[in-house]
Structures are given as structure tokens and as C-alpha cells.
Amino acid sequence: MSKTISSICVLRLSAIGDVCHAVSAVQAIQRAHPQAKITWVIGKVEAMLLADLPGVELVVFDKKRGKAAFKDLRTHFKGTKFDVLLHMQVAFRSNVAALCIPAKVKIGFDSARSKELHSLVVNQHITGQIEPHVLEGFHHFAQAIGAQPQSPTWSMPYTAEDEDQAKTLLHGLERVFVISPAASKKERNWLPERYAALAEHATAQGFQVVITGGPTELEVSLSQAIIEQAKCQILNLVGQTGLKTLLCVLKQAKLVLAPDTGPAHMAVTVGTPVIGLYAHSNPKRTGPYLYQQYVVEVYHQNLLKQKGKPASELPWGTRVKGADLMAQISVDDVTAMFDKVVQQEKL
């Protein structure tokens, strides 16, 4: 690919964790092509987190508008033709969106990861990878246009006001342990009494415990159940922060505990260690990228039980099913990991 690329469009609509991974790839591209104008077609919620990302124009795709959202894209890009489109999502909706974005070159995933007609809307592919993390897949897009591979870094967009709001919310707390307990699907959540046990353990170790989350009924009810069962003080910030303020709360924390959910990856972008709890998806593919050694998981044992084969002999990213798998993660295992992280990170 020519080093004189002047316009790049990134297509990655969702979700919070995935766009956090993609930021590091986009910023690697900026270093390799500082002259290029970069446009990012992104979901509405995700744009709230990445608003004012330096050097990037965000174009919001609002899926709630249905067919009109695709018309909006065509209208927005009328008369535009990008040098390259980096099509970083294989979902059918995003594949249709790719048809609405004019570009000389459209780069998509390799055939092994292509689905839902993805290969039909691109004319080039990134190279295949062996058991890649999602972030590593995105970095291959950067490499496809000349960005050199390196350890991922992030410069997330937040203001001094966002930081001040977080400091106000955390006023008087010095050694903050954040529990972000809710994933997008209930089956991925750990049990409230076990989160409560970790809150008690952290408090006994001199941490102040904070619970974060959005305003949904699932998140509110889960946080209330945790607080009711914990025999310690917990600051409840559920529903009280926007995404940027939440990012700054995570930045000011010493340690985060979370299942497979967006805030875990947000914490990674601001350098806060994460203990990830995984049962349904492979943490080597979707775990907190810089802290995969701190994951507590029962994924691999359940994969072997359900499929009769280890991950190495199955399609990469194979999920396991079950409503109660997270209950297999014990308090003792997570407490032991908590103590390990505190010691290793000198928290």
C-alpha cells in the first residue's frame, strides 16, 4: 500500500470493548500516516466514549434508524472517495454499511474470519492469524497499510473536566477497587454474593470499594444485590457516570474486577490492572489485553466438556453455552488472584 495515503475510513460500529481495541490500531495508523485524514464510522453509544478522539472525524451510525441509517451514510459520503476503507467488522449490518462508503480499496478480514457476506463487500483482505486476540486482528489492518507492529498504546479522549468529575465522585477515597459487575448478557455475570465477598476481602486489605455501571435494570438490580449482601462500605456509582467520566473513574482506580464487559477494556486503555472473569468466551481472544495473566476462567474446561476438544482443535472463538457457567468460578480463586495482582502490581 502506498505511503501517500491521504484519506482513510475505519468501519467499526460496536461494541465498547472492541472500539477500545480499535483505538490502538487507529493511533498506530496515525503515526504511520500523519498526513492522512481519518474518518471512523461508529455506533452511537461508542461515539460518546470516543468523541473528540484527536485527528479523527467520527461519523455516527445509529442502528435504531433502521434502513434510514444506511441512507444517512450514503448522503454523508456523497462525492467522497476514500483511498482506503478498513472494514473491521463482519456483522451483516456493517457489511451493508460498507456498501455505502466509497473507497478505492476496501480491506476486510481474512477468509477464516469472514461471515455474513463480508468477503463480498471488500476487495482486499488482511493476512490470516493463528489464535489472535481481537486487538491483534485490528492491528493487522494497520499493518496492511504500512503501520509497523508494536505494543499497543492508547491516548483516550477525555478532558480535565471529566477527570474533575471523577475526582469529585471519588472524593476521600485513596485506594480504589472498582467492581464493574454487569456484562451485556446476564449469563456472563458472576453471582452477587461472590462479588460481595470480594468487596469484603478488598476492604479488609485496605481498599475502598466502588461499583460502576449503567442505568439499565439489570445493572441497577445487580449492584443493589451486591451492596445488600456485602458487610462493608461500597460507593455505588451505577447510573451516575457518563462514559468519559467512567473512564476517568477507572483511571483513578488501583484495580478493576469485571466479567466480559466493555469497562474491563476501558480500564486497560488507561493502564489500570483488570481481573477478568470468563466462562463463555475464550479470554485469549477477548480478555483484557494487557492483563490476560490475571484472568480467572472456566472457559477451557467447559469447552472441552461440551465439544470434546480443546480450543486448539476447534474454530478460534468457539463459545460455550450455559446459564450457570459463571457459578463455577469460586470466591477462593478470585480472592487468590486479587492477592496476586496486589502483590505483583504493588498496589
Side-chain angles (χ1 to χ4, degrees), residues 11-16 19 40-52 58-66 69 72-73 89 93 243-244:
L11 174 57
R12 179 72 209 192
L13 304 178
S14 60
I16 291 293
V19 300
W40 187 338
V41 181
I42 191 169
K44 187 175 182 179
V45 173
E46 293 75 12
M48 294 177 186
L49 175 62
L50 299 189
D52 302 315
L58 299 183
V59 175
V60 174
F61 180 93
D62 185 359
K63 64 182 181 181
K64 291 183 179 179
R65 285 180 51 76
D72 293 343
L73 273 188
Q89 193 159 355
R93 181 185 288 113
L243 284 171
K244 289 181 180 293

Side-chain angles (χ1 to χ4, degrees), residues 41-322:
V41 181
I42 191 169
K44 187 175 182 179
V45 173
E46 293 75 12
M48 294 177 186
L49 175 62
L50 299 189
D52 302 315
L53 190 66
V56 179
E57 176 195 5
L58 299 183
V59 175
V60 174
F61 180 93
D62 185 359
K63 64 182 181 181
K64 291 183 179 179
R65 285 180 51 76
K67 294 181 180 179
F70 300 106
K71 182 179 179 181
D72 293 343
L73 273 188
R74 287 192 294 270
T75 300
H76 186 90
F77 292 127
K78 186 177 182 181
T80 299
K81 192 157 193 175
F82 293 99
D83 288 335
V84 60
L85 168 66
L86 301 179
H87 183 11
M88 297 182 174
Q89 193 159 355
V90 298
F92 181 74
R93 181 185 288 113
S94 63
N95 292 331
V96 176
L99 295 173
C100 305
I101 303 172
K104 298 173 187 176
V105 175
K106 296 187 176 184
I107 303 176
F109 282 100
D110 54 283
S111 58
R113 283 175 283 189
S114 296
K115 59 182 180 179
E116 301 194 36
L117 307 181
H118 181 77
S119 291
L120 298 181
V121 299
V122 299
N123 51 29
Q124 291 187 24
H125 300 268
I126 64 171
T127 56
Q129 296 166 275
I130 298 174
E131 299 185 351
H133 190 281
V134 171
L135 180 146
E136 293 163 351
F138 294 155
H139 272 251
H140 256 52
F141 281 89
Q143 291 175 35
I145 57 171
Q148 295 303 311
Q150 61 179 19
S151 297
T153 60
W154 292 265
S155 179
M156 297 295 283
Y158 55 84
T159 64
E161 182 180 356
D162 296 322
E163 285 197 294
D164 288 343
Q165 289 177 353
K167 288 177 181 176
T168 298
L169 291 169
L170 299 176
H171 180 70
L173 307 184
E174 296 181 359
R175 202 171 174 221
V176 174
F177 171 51
V178 168
I179 298 176
S180 181
S184 58
K185 296 182 179 179
K186 186 177 180 180
E187 66 181 16
R188 296 183 189 175
N189 296 337
W190 207 29
L191 284 66
E193 63 271 20
R194 299 187 188 180
Y195 280 124
L198 262 293
E200 292 169 7
H201 180 75
T203 299
Q205 302 301 313
F207 287 84
Q208 289 85 45
V209 183
V210 176
I211 291 185
T212 62
T216 66
E217 182 180 349
L218 172 63
E219 291 167 285
V220 170
S221 61
L222 179 57
S223 64
Q224 288 175 342
I226 294 167
I227 291 168
E228 287 172 1
Q229 297 188 57
K231 298 179 178 67
C232 63
Q233 288 292 113
I234 297 179
L235 176 62
N236 186 1
L237 296 184
V238 173
Q240 297 185 44
T241 61
L243 284 171
K244 289 181 180 293
T245 303
L246 173 59
L247 183 69
C248 293
V249 167
L250 296 169
K251 182 174 183 284
Q252 293 174 37
K254 296 292 185 182
L255 178 61
V256 173
L257 174 66
D260 187 4
T261 186
H265 305 291
M266 291 169 62
V268 173
T269 69
V270 290
T272 302
V274 179
I275 298 173
L277 306 179
Y278 280 71
H280 297 86
S281 58
N282 192 334
K284 291 184 179 180
R285 180 180 177 273
T286 62
Y289 189 75
L290 297 181
Y291 304 105
Q292 294 179 73
Q293 71 273 28
Y294 298 150
V295 165
V296 182
E297 59 91 10
V298 292
Y299 167 80
H300 286 92
Q301 68 188 46
N302 281 288
L303 184 71
L304 188 60
K305 182 178 179 180
Q306 291 187 13
K307 303 294 184 179
K309 296 179 180 180
S312 60
E313 297 178 14
L314 291 164
W316 186 239
T318 299
R319 294 181 181 271
V320 295
K321 298 180 180 180

